[in-house]
Amino acid sequence: MAALCRASPRFLRKSGLCRTARALSSEKHEYDLLVVGGGSGGLACAKEASQFGKKVAVLDYVDPSPKGTKWGLGGTCVNVGCIPKKLMHQAALLGRSLKDAQRYGWNVSYPVNHDWSAMSKAVQNYVKSLNWGHRVQLQDKKVKYLNLKGSFVDPHTIRGLMKGGKETLLTAENIVLATGGRPKYPTNIAGAREYGITSDDLFWLKKSPGKTLVVGASYVSLECAGFLTGLGLNATVMMRSIPLRGFDQQMATLVADHMEGHGTRFLKKCSPTKVKKAENGRLRVTWKYLDSGKEKSDEFDTVMWAVGRAPDTQTLNLEMAGVETNPVTGKIIVDARETTSVPHIYAVGDITEGRPELTPTAIAAGKLVAQRLFGQSAELMDYDNVPTTVFTPLEYGCVGLSEEEAAGRFGADHIEVYHAFYKPLEFTVAERDAAQCYIKMVCLRQQEQRILGLHFIGPNAGEVIQGFALGIKCGATYSQMAKTVGIHPTSAEEVAKLHITKRSGADPTVTGC
Ligand code: FAD
Ligand code: NDP
């Protein structure tokens, strides 16, 4: 401890923190567990640990976005991620349903207008109720909640910084880091930070974003552009390479095709070069076509960067504790037990290297750390076959390997791909286009044909995939799937009915019942 303080920067010694930390560390640690970051992973871990009668505290602090947006307890998912996103996706789906409703005999008088302010107020009120719910739960479980920004003083001591600059020192036997990530801004595009927003701002806008350019082509970009289009706004996706990198590319292309066919504009193989404020107050964005080098520009009301997320590790002073990160990604390196390079310091969720950036994995990993620490459990988080869904207007849910990954791992000759283009029954009377409603099941080719991956594009994809994920986790085979009786008439039953292989070249279009 003294050695660490000797080695620490001058400001620490000046501030007297080392003296205080030394005094504290010679005593018993104040907490059994200190969790830094009150989002999906951190809250789950803290609540679980409290069940074992341990003294637990969780620090959560939200730095406002560069545009000044801030929010309460609960992390990304609750405030600026899954929850507001899914609710706004639902708002867009309802707009689509209004169109369908006419075909089903409802008299809907047109034009119908969407009121962004009413939607965002309702969504924000719900999010605020979740913030409050988390605080109550922590109180009920006797977890100390501290609205402080945490950083290391030494491996057992966290300095908590209050909004006004006041500091508190906290010591703990075990520390779990769960500070998540924040959206990136491009660094080389003039006006990007000054004029652009990110998903951290979109969900908290009081007024409609209007004509919006969304830069990037992954989960965040396609989901946000999808619901903006569905709400009747003019939305453009600027994509420099492929959509949904890392996903099965046939499925990703179908998702993007559907969006393009239903009103989202795509600027492909383009990269923005500058953003300026025009005299009329709108934003003039200039971009370059990557193939020809030609430049073009257009005006937008809002520019949203969805170019990836950076782990929130910079302000943690990880070097004071000796916690190692990947120098390229900035993410914390952990082993299968979520242990960092320091044995009593753990990390879960979006700040960890090589883990999916998803709420359920952060929650499960956080709970399991608490159970291993205090509950005599040895169970590890299993990151295989994690299901996920992209909530684009036509949803895409999947679990397991993409066709490319399966072919790469086992060889194209050793996999069998069953597929079908199908029409959800609800689309028929509504006369909706089902060109991209597609299912693909990737199996091993030999013997019982174990299922390696399942991919589904269609309504309620998340609900469809969730149950099948259990089967695949349990090692389900094609023959078991084929023996599974479908529930008629649903879209999910088409999974159990898959029988055309890609190899056969036969038409995979489902006809009749
Ligand atoms: P977070 O939930 O981000 O929590 C970290 C917390 O730590 C934050 O409150 C942060 O302010 C705080 N913090 C940071 N630094 C400090 C510090 N030094 N001291 C104290 N507190 C600190 N996942 C899904 O599964 N399904 C979805 O549909 C989905 N949709 C998404 C949509 C969007 C737009 C985005 C951006 C993400 C979405 N995700 C979704 C991903 C999901 O939100 C994250 O994977 C999840 O929230 C990660 O949880 P976490 O615990 O790692 O971090
Ligand atoms: P990703 O890192 O997945 O994607 C970033 C996108 O931005 C890519 O399309 C990338 O293109 C593009 N990009 C990067 N830099 C630039 C640049 N300078 N100019 C133009 N385009 C650029 O980030 P996301 O923010 O979309 O998602 C982060 C994570 O959040 C996801 O991995 C996911 O786990 C989670 N999430 C989950 C959701 C869900 O479960 N439904 C929803 C939303 C997020 P390229 O491919 O060429 O690099």
Side-chain angles (χ1 to χ4, degrees):
M1 170 72 204
L4 245 163
C5 277
R6 271 198 300 280
S8 68
R10 211 176 328 144
F11 78 86
L12 261 181
R13 269 179 273 148
K14 264 192 180 170
S15 70
L17 282 175
C18 279
R19 208 168 40 248
T20 327
R22 223 177 280 132
L24 281 169
S25 70
S26 61
E27 299 160 12
K28 191 182 174 303
H29 299 296
E30 203 177 341
Y31 291 100
D32 297 309
L33 174 68
L34 195 59
V35 178
V36 186
S40 308
L43 289 177
C45 180
K47 287 180 205 165
E48 189 72 9
S50 74
Q51 315 271 63
F52 299 103
K54 297 294 165 184
K55 196 171 173 205
V56 185
V58 57
L59 275 72
D60 189 59
Y61 188 88
V62 180
D63 274 322
S65 75
K67 287 280 165 277
T69 311
K70 46 187 189 225
W71 51 87
L73 178 64
T76 303
C77 176
V78 168
N79 296 284
V80 285
C82 334
I83 301 299
K85 179 278 305 288
K86 181 89 187 288
L87 292 173
M88 291 193 181
H89 169 62
Q90 172 66 8
L93 291 183
L94 285 172
R96 173 70 244 189
S97 296
L98 280 176
K99 286 189 190 141
D100 290 358
Q102 287 182 301
R103 303 263 180 199
Y104 282 95
W106 288 98
N107 289 317
V108 182
S109 48
Y110 269 80
V112 282
N113 295 311
H114 180 259
D115 180 345
W116 175 281
S117 309
M119 173 193 70
S120 70
K121 196 169 168 208
V123 169
Q124 288 159 20
N125 282 342
Y126 179 64
V127 168
K128 285 176 190 163
S129 77
L130 294 179
N131 298 148
W132 177 246
H134 279 304
R135 287 181 83 136
V136 171
Q137 278 180 28
L138 290 179
Q139 211 166 10
D140 286 351
K141 292 184 187 293
K142 300 194 172 31
V143 175
K144 180 93 179 155
Y145 160 57
L146 299 157
N147 185 203
L148 300 172
K149 184 168 178 172
S151 60
F152 278 102
V153 173
D154 69 49
H156 283 283
T157 312
I158 293 284
R159 178 179 56 165
L161 197 63
M162 267 182 213
K163 206 172 158 196
K166 211 175 149 213
E167 294 177 358
T168 315
L169 287 183
L170 305 146
T171 65
E173 188 74 31
N174 301 285
I175 294 173
V176 169
L177 303 172
T179 53
R182 295 296 288 266
K184 287 185 204 164
Y185 273 88
T187 48
N188 55 349
I189 299 170
R193 207 178 176 89
E194 192 176 352
Y195 300 119
I197 65 163
T198 66
S199 54
D200 276 0
D201 307 298
L202 181 71
F203 304 113
W204 292 89
L205 293 180
K206 289 197 166 67
K207 283 195 198 136
S208 165
K211 180 180 173 186
T212 305
L213 173 69
V214 186
V215 183
S218 201
Y219 271 102
V220 173
S221 164
L222 297 192
E223 290 185 341
C224 293
F227 75 67
L228 292 176
T229 306
L231 296 176
L233 299 175
N234 181 329
T236 302
V237 170
M238 189 177 287
M239 178 163 94
R240 68 175 180 187
S241 59
I242 53 169
L244 296 173
R245 183 179 295 284
F247 284 90
D248 186 292
Q249 277 303 297
Q250 184 192 7
M251 309 302 285
T253 306
L254 287 169
V255 168
D257 285 351
H258 177 269
M259 287 179 68
E260 203 168 5
H262 290 78
T264 308
R265 179 180 168 217
F266 276 75
L267 290 168
K268 294 176 186 167
K269 294 197 178 163
C270 290
S271 225
T273 52
K274 59 178 178 247
V275 184
K276 278 179 137 182
K277 192 119 181 164
E279 277 178 11
N280 60 12
R282 297 182 95 193
L283 300 174
R284 178 153 287 279
V285 181
T286 307
W287 66 87
K288 193 172 70 185
Y289 285 89
L290 299 174
D291 286 345
S292 62
K294 273 191 192 152
E295 280 206 333
K296 235 185 144 181
S297 77
D298 193 2
E299 281 181 2
F300 299 89
D301 298 306
T302 302
V303 176
M304 185 182 124
W305 305 104
V307 294
R309 296 172 61 79
D312 218 344
T313 46
Q314 289 92 334
T315 55
L316 284 172
N317 267 350
L318 293 174
E319 58 288 351
M320 300 306 284
V323 173
E324 279 174 22
T325 56
N326 175 330
V328 179
T329 60
K331 291 194 170 189
I332 296 176
I333 297 163
V334 286
D335 65 13
R337 297 170 50 84
E338 324 296 353
T339 314
T340 67
S341 48
V342 183
H344 68 276
I345 302 176
Y346 305 83
V348 295
D350 286 9
I351 45 157
T352 49
E353 181 68 26
R355 306 295 197 221
E357 293 180 16
L358 295 171
T359 278
T361 47
I363 291 176
K367 279 188 181 171
L368 288 170
V369 166
Q371 287 168 11
R372 287 194 300 271
L373 275 174
F374 308 118
Q376 293 172 352
S377 163
E379 191 183 338
L380 299 176
M381 175 64 196
D382 179 359
Y383 290 98
D384 272 347
N385 288 319
V386 169
T388 184
T389 288
V390 186
F391 294 97
T392 34
L394 199 54
E395 298 172 5
Y396 165 35
C398 62
V399 55
L401 302 185
S402 65
E403 188 176 346
E404 298 91 324
E405 282 170 332
R409 207 176 286 185
F410 298 99
D413 283 346
H414 296 100
I415 62 167
E416 197 72 275
V417 178
Y418 293 90
H419 66 158
F421 280 99
Y422 70 102
K423 188 161 197 156
L425 179 67
E426 300 83 335
F427 280 30
T428 53
V429 170
E431 292 181 26
R432 277 171 73 170
D433 167 31
Q436 285 86 19
C437 291
Y438 180 67
I439 306 169
K440 168 153 85 173
M441 188 155 73
V442 185
C443 306
L444 276 176
R445 198 173 172 194
Q446 87 272 23
Q447 291 156 353
E448 291 177 301
Q449 302 190 315
R450 184 164 62 84
I451 303 168
L452 302 171
L454 178 62
H455 304 263
F456 176 98
I457 295 180
N460 306 307
E463 314 296 342
V464 171
I465 284 294
Q466 183 67 77
F468 287 118
L470 168 68
I472 292 171
K473 191 101 191 146
C474 295
T477 61
Y478 172 73
S479 52
Q480 288 168 329
M481 185 69 86
K483 280 184 216 150
T484 302
V485 177
I487 300 171
H488 190 66
T490 63
S491 296
E493 73 175 317
E494 301 302 339
V495 175
K497 282 161 61 185
L498 288 171
H499 64 285
I500 305 278
T501 63
K502 262 195 176 178
R503 193 183 309 281
S504 72
D507 181 1
T509 309
V510 175
T511 48
C513 265

